[in-house]
Amino acid sequence: MSFSSILTYFAGGYTALVIALFMLSGVFPAAGFAARSLAAYISLIICAIYGALASIVLRILGREQIAQWTTARAFKYVMALTTGVTFEIIDPKHHLETVRPGVFIGNHQTELDVLMLGCMFPKYCSVTAKKALKNVPFLGWFMALSGTIFIDRKNSKDAREAMAGAAQEIQKRKQSVYMFPEGTRSYAKEPGLLPFKKGAFHLAVQAGVPIVPVVVANYSHVLHIKDFVFRSGEIPVKVLDPIPTTGLTSEDVDELTRNTRELMLQEIVALTQKARNKPVAMPARTNGDGVVHASGADATLS
């Protein structure tokens, strides 16, 4: 049996399974979760292959800086078709189009945030990754080809040192980056934020570029893995005004991090309240200030 025949049988069987699960979702809600999960995985694989090919072509054309943008947009449209999920981008002042370079930061809820990036990712922007990933087959190659900003954590004593090389890359290439300062997914059922790590803020200060907060309404009604919930829907995302870092030093990073987190938390609650059309309580304050204070690159990088 040829490879093309195997691929055809696999695609046909996979599609039939997803359709069958969607049909059963009216009776068994968990079937809808399984159907959209399978649809999302195959969408991701399709777009990853497209992204690798697009990166090679754009690299040859000298346009590798838009490789992640074009891959992100492909994922946006494929996921809307296969799962019915999309994100509504609220950017009345067009910051996504006009701020370059900058450090874009956002709250991190679930794996679905990859789709959020697909819907809002600006041109001439990339994600950040550990330098060690650069040599990983396929993934590392795609990242390198598409202009990923690599951060050397292995030989760094703290966030400032780890970000030095990345800051130089941002300045030289005028390339924005997108980071999640919480450092991990919250999987929260109600709006909130985990404590912020300071890597993104050190990076913005060292590069002398603005921080652009991006807030996403809590979407546990669309995806909540613990309850096997995965529904179609449109989730609002709001781009806030850039926060300048000109004239700031590393001594200002703690306050910058704390103030930015407080602003984002207020906006997340307001956006969630608007999306749900009912009051939402502000999360209770903890004893800390919402900032991770630790030494070591892995402890402080986003």
Side-chain angles (χ1 to χ4, degrees), residues 20 23 42 53 78 94 105 148 212 237 243 262 271:
M23 293 175 67
I42 199 66
L53 296 174
V78 172
H94 307 289
I105 62 172
T148 295
V212 184
V237 180
I243 300 171
E262 186 65 26
L271 193 62

Side-chain angles (χ1 to χ4, degrees), residues 65-117:
Q65 286 179 295
I66 65 169
Q68 293 189 14
W69 170 81
T70 188
T71 305
R73 287 299 182 274
F75 190 54
K76 167 187 174 180
Y77 295 116
V78 172
M79 280 288 285
L81 179 65
T82 59
T83 68
V85 181
T86 190
F87 287 79
E88 174 198 7
I89 310 303
I90 304 168
D91 183 22
K93 298 182 181 179
H94 307 289
H95 295 313
L96 294 177
E97 300 171 13
T98 58
V99 177
R100 179 191 174 199
V103 175
F104 292 80
I105 62 172
N107 53 312
H108 202 7
Q109 298 184 59
T110 73
E111 290 79 2
L112 200 58
D113 289 336
V114 176
L115 176 57
M116 181 275 296
L117 292 177

Side-chain angles (χ1 to χ4, degrees), residues 85-294:
V85 181
T86 190
F87 287 79
E88 174 198 7
I89 310 303
I90 304 168
D91 183 22
K93 298 182 181 179
H94 307 289
H95 295 313
L96 294 177
E97 300 171 13
T98 58
V99 177
R100 179 191 174 199
V103 175
F104 292 80
I105 62 172
N107 53 312
H108 202 7
Q109 298 184 59
T110 73
E111 290 79 2
L112 200 58
D113 289 336
V114 176
L115 176 57
M116 181 275 296
L117 292 177
C119 294
M120 63 74 57
F121 213 63
K123 284 186 177 180
Y124 306 103
C125 186
S126 72
V127 295
T128 59
K130 294 184 293 184
K131 194 173 183 179
L133 290 175
K134 194 172 185 177
N135 297 319
V136 174
F138 302 110
L139 175 63
W141 302 340
F142 164 69
M143 287 181 167
L145 286 168
S146 62
T148 295
I149 300 291
F150 289 100
I151 298 169
D152 188 359
R153 300 185 180 189
K154 185 177 180 181
N155 299 315
S156 300
K157 295 179 181 178
D158 56 33
R160 287 172 292 179
E161 187 178 338
M163 291 297 172
Q168 293 174 4
E169 284 292 299
I170 289 173
Q171 292 169 333
K172 181 175 69 176
R173 292 159 48 185
K174 294 189 181 300
Q175 180 91 351
S176 297
V177 297
Y178 195 101
M179 304 179 74
F180 296 104
E182 291 170 281
T184 189
R185 303 172 190 91
S186 66
Y187 295 108
K189 198 162 188 176
E190 295 298 328
L193 285 172
L194 299 175
F196 274 13
K197 300 179 182 181
K198 297 182 288 185
F201 301 91
H202 276 297
L203 178 58
V205 168
Q206 288 188 34
V209 300
I211 293 168
V212 184
V214 178
V215 297
V216 184
N218 181 274
Y219 55 74
S220 59
H221 63 293
V222 172
L223 176 63
H224 194 249
I225 295 173
K226 290 181 180 179
D227 293 338
F228 296 100
V229 171
F230 196 174
R231 303 186 180 98
S232 61
E234 185 176 64
I235 302 158
V237 180
K238 185 177 180 181
V239 183
L240 307 185
D241 290 337
I243 300 171
T245 63
T246 305
L248 299 184
T249 69
S250 60
E251 301 299 320
D252 302 305
V253 166
D254 276 11
E255 183 178 2
L256 177 64
T257 305
R258 183 168 53 251
N259 292 342
T260 303
R261 182 182 181 276
E262 186 65 26
L263 170 66
M264 290 177 65
L265 183 57
Q266 292 174 3
E267 291 287 348
I268 290 168
V269 170
L271 193 62
T272 303
Q273 183 169 286
K274 185 177 179 181
R276 295 181 181 179
N277 197 28
K278 64 180 182 179
V280 175
M282 278 289 292
R285 286 184 176 273
T286 60
N287 294 330
D289 60 2
V291 180
V292 174
H293 299 277

